[in-house]
Amino acid sequence: MIAILSSGCTLKEKTDVVRLLEILGHRVSVSPFGRETIVGVVGTSAPELEARLAAMPGVRETRRDVPPYALVSREHHPETTVVRAAGVEIGGDEVVVIAGPCSVESEAQILRIARGVAACGARLLRGGAFKPRTSPYGFQGLGEEALDLLERAREETGLGIVTEVVSGEDVPRVARTADVLQVGARNMQNFRLLEACGRQGKPVLLKRSHMGTIDELLLAAEYVVTHGNPRVILCERGIRTFETATRNTLDVSAVPVLKERTHLPVIVDPSHAAGRREWVPALAAAAVAAGADGSIVEVHDRPDEALSDGRQSLTLQGFEAMMRRLQRVAAAVDRRLGVSFAPSGGPTCPTASPRPT
Ligand code: PEP
Ligand code: MN
């Protein structure tokens, strides 16, 4: 159940509502909602309590039939939310492309790739420092050292940083470097991690899990928002189905469904869905055509040498070709990319630097 407090409600009226609920033994969340305030009562929708709240000064409306994700639902917040990160608006007119390697591997590697994707119109740089790997023998990431390298890449290219956080205790350190904290598919329902991301102020890129329903993704987002952080970007990255030809099955239909159910921005990760670089541009194009606000893609200038996810990483040349294609698709759905390629020519990615001999 929720109580919506009017924009003119006084601090005393707000405190009285919260105090009453606490005295009655209910857990309460208080979140700004435009100019109003939503007081969420966790775990009850008793009619007597609703009537009592509705009669209190400052309460504009009470609702028992709320979707369980009241704060992120479009029903309660019809205007689309634009999340700003490092000067980039996600959820506005622009289709935002986030690109970079699966993992940060060395200073030279991240700088080469960051320069390359920046030249082709990427608006934010991705790069894993803490990697959640299926196998304990897989490369686990360079950890804090990688965060320092990402900062170097930001200084050099101006691109804001998107990097994953895998545990609640790492949140303060990762948030010092990151412009956007990624919560990976395997952690979509790590509720303590979601709460920790809610208690800090940087935007959160929340990925749908392999087996998570759309409603479960929205409830995970609600965790972040109820803990104080409304800056959440949702990401469809492929779900597990009976199909084995692709690494996962990109659920393109999640894009219009999410757009209808929530006011939060929605992006797509075609790399972890496809599992092979050849299929990534088609999935990215489909996502933009379906109304996604952007895409997060893995790019490596030497994918055969990548320490993780090389098979699905676009080369820099492949990334440039994909961006040219996305520019046309974006225009067809009245959106735009943050880069403008002339029909032939325009910016060109630097070619992969020669390997040292
Ligand atoms: C990643 O972005 O490299 C990653 C591990 O993604 P996901 O959580 O979607 O598997
Ligand atoms: Mn990856």
Side-chain angles (χ1 to χ4, degrees):
M1 174 165 62
I2 60 168
I4 305 175
L5 308 190
S6 67
S7 53
C9 119
T10 64
L11 184 60
K12 177 170 182 319
E13 288 165 346
K14 200 185 285 186
T15 317
D16 287 347
V17 170
V18 173
R19 192 169 297 146
L20 170 75
L21 290 165
E22 285 175 350
I23 288 169
L24 294 174
H26 300 297
R27 241 187 75 211
V28 177
S29 70
V30 181
S31 314
F33 183 63
R35 300 232 296 284
E36 302 185 314
T37 304
I38 288 198
V39 178
V41 191
V42 181
T44 180
S45 56
E48 317 76 61
L49 182 62
E50 187 192 14
R52 207 161 157 189
L53 285 175
M56 292 184 77
V59 176
R60 180 174 70 70
E61 188 187 336
T62 53
R63 297 278 302 264
R64 285 193 293 138
D65 60 336
V66 284
Y69 39 83
L71 296 178
V72 306
S73 82
R74 201 180 271 285
E75 192 190 329
H76 285 268
H77 189 295
E79 321 79 69
T80 297
T81 290
V82 175
V83 173
R84 286 179 188 76
V88 177
E89 293 193 341
I90 303 156
D93 287 347
E94 183 183 336
V95 170
V96 171
V97 176
I98 305 166
C102 179
S103 305
V104 178
E105 300 166 5
S106 68
E107 177 166 357
Q109 175 248 18
I110 191 66
L111 289 179
R112 286 194 313 264
I113 298 171
R115 286 186 204 114
V117 297
C120 293
R123 301 283 273 132
L124 294 163
L125 175 68
R126 64 150 289 149
F130 296 93
K131 295 303 301 176
R133 302 306 301 283
T134 301
S135 163
Y137 304 111
F139 176 59
Q140 304 289 313
L142 296 179
E144 290 207 33
E145 184 191 341
L147 296 177
D148 296 339
L149 299 178
L150 285 167
E151 287 180 17
R152 281 272 301 113
R154 177 172 50 206
E155 274 162 32
E156 175 136 349
T157 61
L159 293 180
I161 301 299
V162 180
T163 195
E164 182 162 355
V165 60
V166 295
S167 109
E169 70 205 27
D170 294 338
V171 166
R173 173 63 192 96
V174 175
R176 270 213 315 279
T177 295
D179 296 287
V180 178
L181 273 71
Q182 177 174 323
V183 173
R186 289 154 192 82
N187 273 315
M188 185 194 88
Q189 289 189 313
N190 180 341
F191 300 116
R192 300 299 86 83
L193 175 60
L194 297 174
E195 289 170 13
C197 288
R199 286 192 292 267
Q200 58 78 52
K202 296 277 177 75
V204 177
L205 170 52
L206 176 61
K207 289 185 143 194
R208 180 182 181 185
S209 69
H210 306 72
M211 304 291 282
T213 64
I214 289 172
D215 275 358
E216 285 164 346
L217 173 62
L218 290 168
L219 285 164
E222 188 85 0
Y223 263 89
V224 180
V225 180
T226 54
H227 284 78
N229 186 356
R231 303 167 76 197
V232 180
I233 304 151
L234 302 171
C235 180
E236 158 61 35
R237 47 77 74 205
I239 52 174
R240 184 163 287 175
T241 68
F242 57 82
E243 183 55 73
T244 54
T246 46
R247 183 173 176 184
N248 292 285
T249 299
L250 183 69
D251 182 9
V252 182
S253 49
V255 175
V257 174
L258 284 167
K259 283 277 162 195
E260 184 180 283
R261 292 195 186 171
T262 179
H263 53 88
L264 296 175
V266 178
I267 70 166
V268 163
D269 173 346
S271 308
H272 291 85
R276 287 192 34 191
R277 76 180 65 89
E278 294 83 345
W279 303 328
V280 167
L283 301 189
V288 173
D293 297 304
S295 201
I296 176 165
V297 289
E298 288 185 338
V299 179
H300 201 296
D301 64 332
R302 299 171 188 172
D304 297 341
E305 296 171 16
L307 296 181
S308 60
D309 286 349
R311 190 63 192 85
Q312 67 195 31
S313 298
L314 293 168
T315 60
L316 286 170
Q317 292 83 351
F319 180 64
E320 179 182 347
M322 185 195 80
M323 292 295 274
R324 288 177 182 275
R325 182 167 170 179
L326 291 189
Q327 176 177 276
R328 296 194 299 275
V329 179
V333 292
D334 300 324
R335 308 281 293 263
R336 62 187 169 80
L337 271 194
V339 65
S340 192
F341 295 100
S344 58
T348 343
C349 291
T351 49
S353 45
R355 281 173 186 70
T357 45

